Amino acid sequence: MKKITVLILMIAFAIILATGLIIWQMVEKQAAKKKELEEYYFGAGKIPEEYNITVVIKPYQYGKKRVCKGVWREGMTALDATKECDKVANLGLKLRYDPEVHKGYLVDEMLGLRHTPENNRYWLYYVNNVFVTTKATALLEDPARVYQGKKSEPMPERFYLKPGDIVEWRFEEWGALKELKEEGKTK
Amino acid sequence: MSLKTAIFILIAVLIVCSLAIYYTWQATQKIEIEKPSFPSWIEVVGAGDILNLEITPYEEPTSLYRKWRYLRDYLNEKLAEKAGLKVNLKIARDYRSAINDVGLGVADLAILPPVAYLEARRDYCVQPLATPLLKEGNRCLLVARKDRGINTIADIRGKSFAYADEKSLCGSLIPHKWMRENNIVYQTDLKTVKYFPHYNAVLEALTSGEFDVAGVKEATFKELTPPDLKIVTISEPLPDLLLVGTFDIEKGLIEQIVKALSEMDSETLKKLNPDYLGWQTVTDENYDSLRTMVQEIHGLNYFLPTPDFCAIKPKCKLAPKK
């Protein structure tokens, strides 16, 4: 009888040990899964979904490209987004107001690059891969790009962004662009 | 101690332990992760040496992340040795985001499915680098619920069809090809159609009974082995996913990446996909037959570049105009 009692107590003890082991494994598994999910969503280099505006600066052969992401707000213009990018990425953004021809701001310098007669390049901007000129009617007439009754215009301080937009600044040769304009291929 | 007491203790232990296991199991099923606060603007690609690798979400994103992190780790190890680079991994929001991101340089490298590659090449001149080699090649399957009486492609008339993304090869293009070959007009001959974001969602729609038939990638189907489904037909081997680089990625870096991939050990390959044999380099011309297929089926011309983009990038070599 005593032997059976001892055996039963041993079984009970074994069950307690096994339970402890099972619980420990469950907790470990959960912790590992949590770590994996955290890495997936917020690990190094992860970008939260809330960032819905992208600014890309492409100096091409003159340096490394830079990319910023930010959160869209109502009335945000292409220039606002570029200025925000400048704040976090230290692009060395310098603007010039042109009161005569463009009646707006031009990017004079970024990443230490500016137009010279030798390079014949300018900082030109694109939104969603479309060069923003008066001919970019699909972009300019998009109802989502109207702010307080004002329609978007080609100058970056008057071009209203919408969530998901990618603003791209390319340091480009004027010649290539001119050629396109002559061919009537610019959008 | 009496036998009675011992039995009582045993029963009590059994009950307490069962309850403890049950409640722990319940508690561990729910995983809550706290979202950290973030600034309104961040720098994603800076002056530092970071390569962003983006994966097209052809399968459920977390499972893709689990698989492709081995490629990130492998490249991290190889590129850190030679070029001092760090590779970041991201699963794109959808097919279009993956194309835009690698096209515009938000990502430096991307894993794109073949049809998405054609679009990225046409719109942004991305560069094809390498594709994984599969034992039996990349094949597409037409799968149907066992209880819907679908035995041949012709039987899908009047049934509901679950597509994957419209730029998906097995989830959209090849099913349209099969329908075309069997004189099935998808706009009129099918009961209902719906586009799902990835293959996992497509297979879920079938197993839940919501849809009758769908096209999926063989590798995904083999991995998930969903119940109550059967294979109706199998395609010929087709181009598979490929690794692409941005238009302006450095030539030296391409060489290092391609070399690292060609030297990938069998253990890493197995982690990525048990059927992968290695990586082989690809050129844009390898995708001309697929371009012809897309043109025939969807009427989309991927032979022609987007004029604006390529005219200002004279170095961009494009597929020959047809």
Side-chain angles (χ1 to χ4, degrees), chain A residues 69 71 94 128:
Chain A
K69 282 203 173 252
V71 182
K94 284 181 190 163
N128 303 335

Side-chain angles (χ1 to χ4, degrees), chain B residues 127-257:
Chain B
Q127 301 191 54
L129 304 182
T131 186
L133 264 174
L134 272 162
K135 271 178 198 161
E136 291 173 66
N138 176 43
R139 299 191 298 186
C140 298
L141 309 177
L142 184 73
V143 292
R145 281 192 64 83
K146 283 178 185 165
D147 56 2
R148 305 290 157 96
I150 301 169
N151 299 312
T152 62
I153 302 172
D155 295 338
I156 69 170
R157 239 185 214 98
K159 305 288 181 194
S160 53
F161 203 103
Y163 290 109
D165 190 284
E166 57 181 5
K167 287 179 201 63
S168 161
L169 179 74
C170 297
S172 176
L173 183 74
I174 298 301
H176 279 126
K177 181 178 172 270
W178 283 325
M179 286 182 215
R180 201 182 145 98
E181 284 165 358
N182 286 271
N183 298 319
I184 297 168
V185 183
Y186 72 94
Q187 293 99 326
T188 53
D189 292 345
L190 296 176
K191 195 169 107 193
T192 44
V193 295
K194 192 175 171 185
Y195 282 89
F196 289 88
H198 44 69
Y199 294 129
N200 297 58
V202 164
L203 289 170
E204 237 174 77
L206 255 63
T207 47
S208 69
E210 193 190 342
F211 280 80
D212 304 325
V213 59
V216 289
K217 193 175 162 71
E218 187 185 26
T220 312
F221 187 78
K222 261 169 84 176
E223 192 189 318
L224 298 172
T225 53
D228 309 320
L229 302 186
K230 66 175 178 187
I231 298 167
V232 179
T233 190
I234 305 174
S235 75
E236 292 294 305
L238 293 155
D240 198 4
L241 306 160
L242 68 156
L243 180 74
V244 303
T246 52
F247 159 76
D248 47 6
I249 193 166
E250 287 167 49
K251 206 182 159 204
L253 186 60
I254 293 177
E255 281 164 11
Q256 283 175 9
I257 293 168

Side-chain angles (χ1 to χ4, degrees), chain A residues 18-102:
Chain A
T19 306
L21 201 70
I22 291 168
I23 290 173
W24 177 73
Q25 275 195 333
M26 279 180 179
V27 172
E28 282 283 296
K29 210 174 157 185
Q30 188 206 23
K33 213 169 173 186
K34 190 177 171 184
K35 204 177 153 196
E36 199 177 281
L37 277 175
E38 276 173 347
E39 193 197 339
Y40 169 68
Y41 287 113
F42 321 114
K46 297 293 145 351
I47 303 157
E49 295 245 323
E50 283 80 356
Y51 289 121
N52 47 12
I53 296 290
T54 308
V55 178
V56 184
I57 317 292
K58 281 188 174 171
Y60 295 121
Q61 67 264 46
Y62 297 97
K64 282 186 175 168
K65 71 163 181 265
R66 308 286 279 271
V67 182
C68 303
K69 282 203 173 252
V71 182
W72 175 84
R73 61 172 166 74
E74 218 180 319
M76 179 184 269
T77 64
L79 188 64
D80 292 338
T82 311
K83 282 178 178 172
E84 294 287 355
C85 183
D86 179 44
K87 277 184 207 162
V88 292
N90 297 319
L91 304 172
L93 174 70
K94 284 181 190 163
L95 300 168
R96 179 168 55 89
Y97 187 74
D98 174 16
E100 284 157 17
V101 184
H102 300 95

Side-chain angles (χ1 to χ4, degrees), chain B residues 46-59:
Chain B
D49 291 324
I50 289 176
L51 271 184
N52 286 310
L53 166 66
E54 200 158 305
I55 314 291
T56 312
Y58 58 95
E59 283 177 11

Side-chain angles (χ1 to χ4, degrees), chain B residues 31-48:
Chain B
I31 299 173
E32 280 174 10
I33 43 175
E34 275 176 38
K35 226 170 181 178
S37 61
F38 54 87
S40 57
W41 279 85
I42 54 161
E43 187 181 17
V44 183
V45 179

Side-chain angles (χ1 to χ4, degrees), chain A residues 4 11 24 56 62 115 145 161:
Chain A
I4 295 171
I11 291 170
W24 177 73
V56 184
Y62 297 97
H115 170 259
R145 300 185 190 283
L161 300 178

